[in-house]
mmCIF file of all heavy atoms in Angstrom:
data_model
loop_
_atom_site.group_PDB
_atom_site.id
_atom_site.type_symbol
_atom_site.label_atom_id
_atom_site.label_comp_id
_atom_site.label_asym_id
_atom_site.label_seq_id
_atom_site.Cartn_x
_atom_site.Cartn_y
_atom_site.Cartn_z
ATOM 1 N N THR J 607 0.962 3.080 15.041
ATOM 2 C CA THR J 607 0.644 4.022 16.137
ATOM 3 C C THR J 607 1.219 3.580 17.572
ATOM 4 O O THR J 607 1.519 4.437 18.292
ATOM 5 C CB THR J 607 -0.907 4.140 16.206
ATOM 6 O OG1 THR J 607 -1.460 2.830 16.243
ATOM 7 C CG2 THR J 607 -1.449 4.932 15.103
ATOM 8 N N PHE J 610 4.596 5.015 17.414
ATOM 9 C CA PHE J 610 4.548 6.484 17.320
ATOM 10 C C PHE J 610 4.115 7.213 18.513
ATOM 11 O O PHE J 610 4.807 8.253 18.790
ATOM 12 C CB PHE J 610 3.435 6.794 16.077
ATOM 13 C CG PHE J 610 3.309 8.329 15.915
ATOM 14 C CD1 PHE J 610 4.346 9.020 15.189
ATOM 15 C CD2 PHE J 610 2.299 8.988 16.357
ATOM 16 C CE1 PHE J 610 4.133 10.329 14.938
ATOM 17 C CE2 PHE J 610 2.016 10.359 16.139
ATOM 18 C CZ PHE J 610 3.056 11.017 15.468
ATOM 19 N N VAL J 611 3.211 6.788 19.362
ATOM 20 C CA VAL J 611 2.722 7.435 20.492
ATOM 21 C C VAL J 611 3.864 7.471 21.598
ATOM 22 O O VAL J 611 3.758 8.267 22.514
ATOM 23 C CB VAL J 611 1.476 6.928 21.084
ATOM 24 C CG1 VAL J 611 0.313 7.001 20.067
ATOM 25 C CG2 VAL J 611 1.678 5.420 21.620
ATOM 26 N N VAL J 630 2.140 7.326 9.606
ATOM 27 C CA VAL J 630 1.721 6.564 10.674
ATOM 28 C C VAL J 630 0.459 5.675 10.247
ATOM 29 O O VAL J 630 -0.466 6.072 9.683
ATOM 30 C CB VAL J 630 1.173 7.554 11.815
ATOM 31 C CG1 VAL J 630 0.727 6.684 13.021
ATOM 32 C CG2 VAL J 630 2.283 8.504 12.234
ATOM 33 N N PRO J 632 -2.286 3.344 11.562
ATOM 34 C CA PRO J 632 -2.997 2.955 12.794
ATOM 35 C C PRO J 632 -3.072 1.421 13.023
ATOM 36 O O PRO J 632 -3.230 0.666 12.055
ATOM 37 C CB PRO J 632 -4.412 3.526 12.496
ATOM 38 C CG PRO J 632 -4.258 4.553 11.486
ATOM 39 C CD PRO J 632 -3.189 4.065 10.622
ATOM 40 N N GLN J 636 -9.749 2.883 15.090
ATOM 41 C CA GLN J 636 -10.047 4.167 15.642
ATOM 42 C C GLN J 636 -8.856 4.962 15.995
ATOM 43 O O GLN J 636 -7.836 4.436 16.349
ATOM 44 C CB GLN J 636 -11.042 4.009 16.916
ATOM 45 C CG GLN J 636 -10.355 3.391 18.140
ATOM 46 C CD GLN J 636 -10.352 1.837 18.153
ATOM 47 O OE1 GLN J 636 -10.655 1.282 17.150
ATOM 48 N NE2 GLN J 636 -10.044 1.290 19.223
ATOM 49 N N LEU J 637 -8.907 6.221 15.809
ATOM 50 C CA LEU J 637 -7.789 7.183 16.023
ATOM 51 C C LEU J 637 -8.028 8.030 17.232
ATOM 52 O O LEU J 637 -9.207 8.473 17.382
ATOM 53 C CB LEU J 637 -7.525 8.065 14.825
ATOM 54 C CG LEU J 637 -7.177 7.359 13.527
ATOM 55 C CD1 LEU J 637 -7.226 8.298 12.383
ATOM 56 C CD2 LEU J 637 -5.874 6.591 13.620
ATOM 57 N N ASP J 638 -7.012 8.307 17.975
ATOM 58 C CA ASP J 638 -7.207 9.284 19.215
ATOM 59 C C ASP J 638 -6.679 10.554 18.685
ATOM 60 O O ASP J 638 -5.495 10.806 18.786
ATOM 61 C CB ASP J 638 -6.386 8.711 20.320
ATOM 62 C CG ASP J 638 -6.676 9.582 21.678
ATOM 63 O OD1 ASP J 638 -7.188 10.714 21.529
ATOM 64 O OD2 ASP J 638 -6.274 9.036 22.728
ATOM 65 N N GLU J 639 -7.606 11.373 18.309
ATOM 66 C CA GLU J 639 -7.292 12.740 17.751
ATOM 67 C C GLU J 639 -6.425 13.635 18.721
ATOM 68 O O GLU J 639 -5.596 14.359 18.305
ATOM 69 C CB GLU J 639 -8.479 13.527 17.394
ATOM 70 C CG GLU J 639 -9.207 12.831 16.146
ATOM 71 C CD GLU J 639 -8.385 12.881 14.868
ATOM 72 O OE1 GLU J 639 -7.628 13.844 14.643
ATOM 73 O OE2 GLU J 639 -8.452 11.921 14.096
ATOM 74 N N LYS J 640 -6.733 13.419 20.017
ATOM 75 C CA LYS J 640 -6.007 14.206 21.071
ATOM 76 C C LYS J 640 -4.459 13.963 20.979
ATOM 77 O O LYS J 640 -3.689 14.854 21.027
ATOM 78 C CB LYS J 640 -6.523 13.991 22.425
ATOM 79 C CG LYS J 640 -7.895 14.557 22.733
ATOM 80 C CD LYS J 640 -8.266 14.331 24.133
ATOM 81 C CE LYS J 640 -8.599 12.883 24.304
ATOM 82 N NZ LYS J 640 -9.121 12.541 25.664
ATOM 83 N N ILE J 641 -4.144 12.662 20.785
ATOM 84 C CA ILE J 641 -2.711 12.309 20.718
ATOM 85 C C ILE J 641 -2.095 12.982 19.525
ATOM 86 O O ILE J 641 -0.975 13.571 19.569
ATOM 87 C CB ILE J 641 -2.523 10.837 20.723
ATOM 88 C CG1 ILE J 641 -2.970 10.224 22.038
ATOM 89 C CG2 ILE J 641 -1.066 10.380 20.310
ATOM 90 C CD1 ILE J 641 -2.968 8.705 22.143
ATOM 91 N N TYR J 642 -2.704 12.888 18.388
ATOM 92 C CA TYR J 642 -2.212 13.474 17.137
ATOM 93 C C TYR J 642 -2.081 14.959 17.256
ATOM 94 O O TYR J 642 -1.099 15.506 16.704
ATOM 95 C CB TYR J 642 -2.957 13.009 15.915
ATOM 96 C CG TYR J 642 -2.905 11.533 15.691
ATOM 97 C CD1 TYR J 642 -4.042 10.717 15.863
ATOM 98 C CD2 TYR J 642 -1.623 10.893 15.462
ATOM 99 C CE1 TYR J 642 -3.907 9.368 15.712
ATOM 100 C CE2 TYR J 642 -1.616 9.430 15.372
ATOM 101 C CZ TYR J 642 -2.714 8.727 15.521
ATOM 102 O OH TYR J 642 -2.672 7.399 15.369
ATOM 103 N N LYS J 643 -3.012 15.608 17.822
ATOM 104 C CA LYS J 643 -2.957 17.098 17.982
ATOM 105 C C LYS J 643 -1.798 17.478 18.900
ATOM 106 O O LYS J 643 -1.087 18.492 18.621
ATOM 107 C CB LYS J 643 -4.271 17.625 18.564
ATOM 108 C CG LYS J 643 -5.380 17.657 17.573
ATOM 109 C CD LYS J 643 -6.608 18.173 18.116
ATOM 110 C CE LYS J 643 -7.776 18.098 17.100
ATOM 111 N NZ LYS J 643 -9.044 18.470 17.700
ATOM 112 N N LYS J 644 -1.460 16.645 19.895
ATOM 113 C CA LYS J 644 -0.402 16.908 20.807
ATOM 114 C C LYS J 644 0.916 16.791 20.078
ATOM 115 O O LYS J 644 1.803 17.688 20.171
ATOM 116 C CB LYS J 644 -0.445 15.931 21.972
ATOM 117 C CG LYS J 644 0.752 16.082 22.960
ATOM 118 C CD LYS J 644 0.712 14.977 24.010
ATOM 119 C CE LYS J 644 2.006 14.217 23.835
ATOM 120 N NZ LYS J 644 2.171 13.113 24.571
ATOM 121 N N PHE J 645 1.079 15.835 19.274
ATOM 122 C CA PHE J 645 2.239 15.631 18.444
ATOM 123 C C PHE J 645 2.494 16.731 17.474
ATOM 124 O O PHE J 645 3.624 17.283 17.264
ATOM 125 C CB PHE J 645 2.402 14.219 17.822
ATOM 126 C CG PHE J 645 2.833 13.178 18.753
ATOM 127 C CD1 PHE J 645 1.968 12.507 19.554
ATOM 128 C CD2 PHE J 645 4.175 12.847 18.749
ATOM 129 C CE1 PHE J 645 2.447 11.472 20.451
ATOM 130 C CE2 PHE J 645 4.654 11.862 19.633
ATOM 131 C CZ PHE J 645 3.807 11.211 20.445
ATOM 132 N N LYS J 646 1.525 17.161 16.832
ATOM 133 C CA LYS J 646 1.573 18.314 15.802
ATOM 134 C C LYS J 646 2.023 19.565 16.609
ATOM 135 O O LYS J 646 2.883 20.258 16.128
ATOM 136 C CB LYS J 646 0.198 18.505 15.167
ATOM 137 C CG LYS J 646 -0.084 17.619 14.018
ATOM 138 C CD LYS J 646 0.687 17.920 12.862
ATOM 139 C CE LYS J 646 0.244 16.987 11.622
ATOM 140 N NZ LYS J 646 1.094 16.880 10.582
ATOM 141 N N ALA J 647 1.418 19.790 17.774
ATOM 142 C CA ALA J 647 1.737 20.982 18.537
ATOM 143 C C ALA J 647 3.174 20.947 19.032
ATOM 144 O O ALA J 647 3.764 21.993 19.197
ATOM 145 C CB ALA J 647 0.796 21.086 19.800
ATOM 146 N N PHE J 652 4.232 14.464 10.587
ATOM 147 C CA PHE J 652 3.675 13.202 10.266
ATOM 148 C C PHE J 652 2.343 13.338 9.627
ATOM 149 O O PHE J 652 1.721 14.384 9.489
ATOM 150 C CB PHE J 652 3.369 12.399 11.618
ATOM 151 C CG PHE J 652 2.385 12.986 12.526
ATOM 152 C CD1 PHE J 652 1.066 12.509 12.395
ATOM 153 C CD2 PHE J 652 2.619 13.973 13.422
ATOM 154 C CE1 PHE J 652 0.080 12.984 13.300
ATOM 155 C CE2 PHE J 652 1.729 14.477 14.289
ATOM 156 C CZ PHE J 652 0.378 13.997 14.162
ATOM 157 N N ILE J 654 -1.247 10.589 8.871
ATOM 158 C CA ILE J 654 -1.849 9.304 9.072
ATOM 159 C C ILE J 654 -2.162 8.692 7.759
ATOM 160 O O ILE J 654 -2.759 9.322 6.939
ATOM 161 C CB ILE J 654 -3.281 9.526 9.891
ATOM 162 C CG1 ILE J 654 -3.043 10.343 11.177
ATOM 163 C CG2 ILE J 654 -3.819 8.168 10.265
ATOM 164 C CD1 ILE J 654 -1.987 9.807 12.121
#
Side-chain angles (χ1 to χ4, degrees):
T607 50
F610 179 77
V611 298
V630 183
Q636 65 276 14
L637 299 174
D638 187 344
E639 292 296 325
K640 288 185 287 187
I641 290 173
Y642 296 116
K643 285 180 182 177
K644 178 187 119 186
F645 276 86
K646 283 285 187 198
F652 69 92
I654 308 301

